[in-house]
Each structure stands twice: as C-alpha cells, then as structure tokens.
Amino acid sequence: MDRGAELDQSILRIAGVVEESIVDGPGLRFVLFVQGCPIHCPGCQNPQTWDPRGGTEITCRKVLDKILQDPLVHGVTFSGGEPFEQAQALLPLALALRERGYHLMAFSGHTLEALLTRPECRPLLEALDMLVDGPFVEAEKSLELRFRGSRNQRVLDMAATRAAGWKPVLHEMHGSADR
Ligand code: SF4
C-alpha cells in the first residue's frame, strides 16, 4: 500500500487534539491525545482517556491535514492515553510527518525496554526524535520537571538511543533543577 492509501485507511481512536502547545515538547507543537490506556496509573491526570471504546475515530489523513494547516507548527507530540496501544495505526501519520521534516515526540506509560519487547512498537520507535517513557508514579511526582510528571520518567533522545543499539540515552532536555 502506498503512503497516501495508508493515510486514508489507517484509523485512530483519539481523545482530542491541541493545535498549538508550548508545554508538550520543544517549540510550538500539535498534540494528539490518543484514546485508550491500559496502564491506569494512580493519580493520572487524564483518566477520561483510559476507555479504549471512548473518544472518536479519525483517519491519519485528517489529522495530517489539520497539522499541515498551521505553518507555525514544526513539531508533533503523541500523548494519551497510551500512544503505543495504537502504534501501528499511528505509523503512517508518523512517517508522513517525518518526510515533511516535523520533530516527533511521544509519551508512553511503558518503559522503552518494555516497548522494545513488542515488535509492533518498533517502527514507531524508529520514527521518533524524543520519547518520554515510564508510568506516572505519584510518590515521584514533581511540578519542577520539564515534560515529565514524575522523576522516574525519562526524556530520551531517540536518535542517540538508536545509535547506541537501543541503550536508553537521556535527552539534554531531561535535566532540570529537580531530577
Ligand atoms: S500511562 Fe499516562 S494516560 Fe495512562 S494511566 Fe498512566 S499517566 Fe494516565
């Protein structure tokens, strides 16, 4: 199937979007909140995104068209919900964005090491520039962290991580006054 057909036929289940955000990754970004999360972290800020039957369906094509409408946006973040529950459905969108030079970031409640054990997650991991991984842990919560809710989570530099043979490499933006 060519990329155009994949974009038309790949259906995502989403909780919503934020068309311009400066808090969900570097720069001005479009944020896609996918619907459905099996992790159920105590203290999760978005429990309305847990139900895999909730939200609404939308094709990758429609999401891409929305993103392309805004010339100020150069980055896209997949948040949730748990994006890797829809890793295969997200892939045509991720690849189309990469081809157009967008910076791609995702949040996951799973660790990179856990995602790497699931072959269906690998192509999406290959497409990312940054990954914030790990569950939200209330006892580790801090409001001082950049992009992370709790200290156990990591901001990973995915190009460096791939170059290191998938050994997790922290991104320079992982650091903060409160590690
Ligand atoms: S992984 Fe994210 S969306 Fe899922 S329960 Fe944890 S904090 Fe909430």
Side-chain angles (χ1 to χ4, degrees):
M1 210 189 303
D2 64 22
R3 180 68 36 75
E6 287 176 349
L7 286 164
D8 289 330
Q9 290 173 25
S10 193
I11 296 172
L12 303 166
R13 185 167 279 273
I14 68 166
V17 304
V18 172
E19 294 186 5
E20 291 189 349
S21 166
I22 55 166
V23 296
D24 296 286
L28 186 69
R29 312 180 71 84
F30 184 99
V31 187
L32 177 68
F33 293 91
V34 307
Q35 180 71 27
C37 181
I39 302 174
H40 297 190
C41 308
C44 169
Q45 301 287 301
N46 299 316
Q48 70 281 3
T49 66
W50 290 0
D51 182 356
R53 292 156 302 178
T56 52
E57 289 188 335
I58 188 167
T59 63
C60 282
R61 166 79 66 193
K62 284 199 173 144
V63 178
L64 178 65
D65 288 347
K66 267 186 206 289
I67 295 167
L68 297 180
Q69 275 170 18
D70 188 340
L72 298 177
V73 163
H74 298 293
V76 175
T77 298
F78 300 144
S79 188
E82 172 51 50
F84 284 86
E85 292 305 308
Q86 300 184 54
Q88 286 170 309
L90 282 167
L91 188 62
L93 175 63
L95 295 178
L97 290 166
R98 267 199 86 93
E99 283 168 6
R100 290 163 175 79
Y102 283 80
H103 180 276
L104 275 187
M105 175 170 163
F107 287 86
S108 178
H110 300 292
T111 61
L112 173 68
E113 291 85 344
L115 293 172
L116 286 169
T117 67
R118 295 166 55 184
E120 77 278 13
C121 294
R122 185 70 70 107
L124 186 57
L125 291 169
E126 298 267 10
L128 295 176
D129 296 291
M130 288 170 73
L131 173 71
V132 181
D133 79 336
F136 173 69
V137 176
E138 211 154 21
E140 298 280 323
K141 178 177 173 178
S142 169
L143 299 178
E144 305 299 319
L145 302 168
R146 189 161 35 173
F147 310 142
R148 302 178 283 150
S150 55
R151 288 183 199 86
N152 61 293
Q153 295 170 322
R154 303 174 294 189
V155 182
L156 298 175
D157 179 330
M158 292 303 284
T161 293
R162 288 188 292 272
W166 295 103
K167 184 173 163 285
V169 177
L170 293 180
H171 196 281
E172 60 183 15
M173 291 189 181
H174 175 89
S176 82
D178 181 1
R179 284 173 178 264

